Amino acid sequence: MIKGALAAAVTPFRDGGAELDEDAFGPLADFLAAGRLDGILALGTTGEGILLSVAERRRVTDLFLEACGERLDVAVHCGAQTTADTVALAEHAAAAGANAVAVIGPPYFQLDDDALLAHFLAAAEACAPTPFYVYEFARVSGYAVPVRVVERLREAAPNLAGMKVSDAPFERLEPYLIEGLDVFVGAESLIGAGMRSGARGSVSALATAFPELVAAAVREPGADRSARLGELRDGLEAFPRHAALKRVLALRGVPVREEVRAPLRGLTDEERERLDGLVPGWLE
């Protein structure tokens, strides 16, 4: 069962974002382990997973599992537009040895309760007995997963272990803090409040570039630490976030290129110069 502080890991690319940079997965895992994290979520929103083919996502899963070894738990986001692709990815992640599988509600179509339940249940069954997590992020999926669907899934899927909830403010997180389910907070500014209310930990985009800050906020939750992370996140969001996180990693000595998968874009020269000037202060 996953726990604690996890990085929503970036996916390293090369060739303008067209190809995986397989040589960078090991150094990235080394950096995250040295930052005292407990694990990673591969191929989530920060990992650009929805932009990769099924074959590429399988390969990324294998690369992260190899790179992390026994040092870091590896949860794999397997959510896709179709149930068939989601099931195929969940089956592969479980067979490859992932510690957990997470699935977001399919974007674009507004699914009713029965359709959404069927989708999540198919994914949970495909990876059973590997722990399964619903990934709730209304801003990117286009809708919130109703709590009643989570409750119905809990009755039908014995391997439902919890949720990753990236919604904010706290009033949108709180309904998912369901007794008996492990909830991981996505919004770094809510880590302290979430942990005080029973959350199991955090799956954080910032943790991929600032692992030590997020690990400290999870292990010793406090308003000051969460507020600082919230300010850091606000600062980072002034840039194209995926490229900015990769740029910060490079500045910190991790050989990850800035390259992202289109239609995401990289940094302009002006943005890069401005970001470079901010990073030392963020690390103080």
Side-chain angles (χ1 to χ4, degrees):
M1 201 76 70
I2 59 174
K3 66 182 188 307
L6 286 79
V10 298
T11 299
F13 289 114
R14 60 178 176 83
D15 298 343
E19 300 291 338
L20 299 174
D21 185 0
E22 298 196 2
D23 292 338
F25 283 81
L28 176 58
D30 292 344
F31 173 75
L32 298 177
R36 300 178 57 241
L37 294 177
D38 298 293
I40 69 163
L41 172 67
L43 295 162
T45 306
T46 303
E48 305 172 57
I50 204 74
L51 299 177
L52 277 64
S53 69
V54 169
E56 286 176 316
R57 292 174 72 170
R58 288 177 171 143
R59 182 59 180 157
V60 170
T61 296
D62 293 343
L63 288 166
F64 269 126
L65 284 167
E66 179 181 359
C68 292
E70 300 297 320
R71 301 175 298 170
L72 296 165
D73 288 338
V74 177
V76 180
H77 172 241
C78 298
Q81 189 70 67
T82 69
T83 300
D85 285 351
T86 303
V87 164
L89 290 165
E91 287 177 340
H92 175 265
N99 300 97
V101 164
V103 168
I104 200 168
Y108 194 83
F109 293 106
Q110 296 291 311
L111 303 178
D112 65 17
D113 287 8
D114 289 345
L116 196 53
L117 175 65
H119 178 79
F120 284 132
L121 183 57
E125 290 176 342
C127 69
T130 298
F132 180 78
Y133 293 78
V134 172
Y135 179 7
E136 160 58 26
F137 197 1
R139 182 169 64 82
V140 298
S141 64
Y143 55 87
V145 176
V147 172
R148 60 184 176 271
V149 171
V150 179
E151 295 285 13
R152 289 174 64 187
L153 181 63
R154 190 180 190 181
E155 295 175 0
N159 60 325
L160 176 65
M163 302 183 68
K164 189 237 175 171
V165 182
S166 293
D167 297 339
F170 185 75
E171 289 71 22
R172 295 179 63 188
L173 163 67
E174 190 173 23
Y176 297 106
L177 293 168
I178 301 167
E179 184 176 356
L181 291 183
D182 291 344
V183 172
F184 291 82
V185 179
E188 291 87 1
S189 63
L190 300 181
I191 290 174
M195 297 294 288
R196 289 192 298 272
S197 299
R200 181 71 163 167
S202 175
V203 176
S204 157
L206 289 182
T208 201
F210 304 93
E212 66 277 38
L213 300 182
V214 176
V218 170
R219 293 194 175 95
E220 299 179 38
D224 289 347
R225 283 193 172 95
S226 295
R228 179 189 179 192
L229 288 174
E231 292 171 359
L232 199 166
R233 182 63 175 260
D234 288 343
L236 196 74
E237 292 292 342
F239 303 90
R241 177 163 55 88
H242 297 78
L245 286 167
K246 293 177 180 182
R247 176 66 178 178
V248 175
L249 282 166
L251 291 172
R252 302 198 68 186
V254 185
V256 171
R257 295 176 170 91
E258 289 176 34
E259 296 169 22
V260 294
R261 175 66 54 91
L264 298 176
R265 73 166 178 86
L267 299 165
T268 65
D269 290 342
E270 186 276 331
E271 287 171 333
R272 189 176 300 108
E273 182 179 359
R274 185 156 49 92
L275 178 64
D276 290 359
L278 290 169
V279 171
W282 289 343
L283 290 169
E284 289 179 353

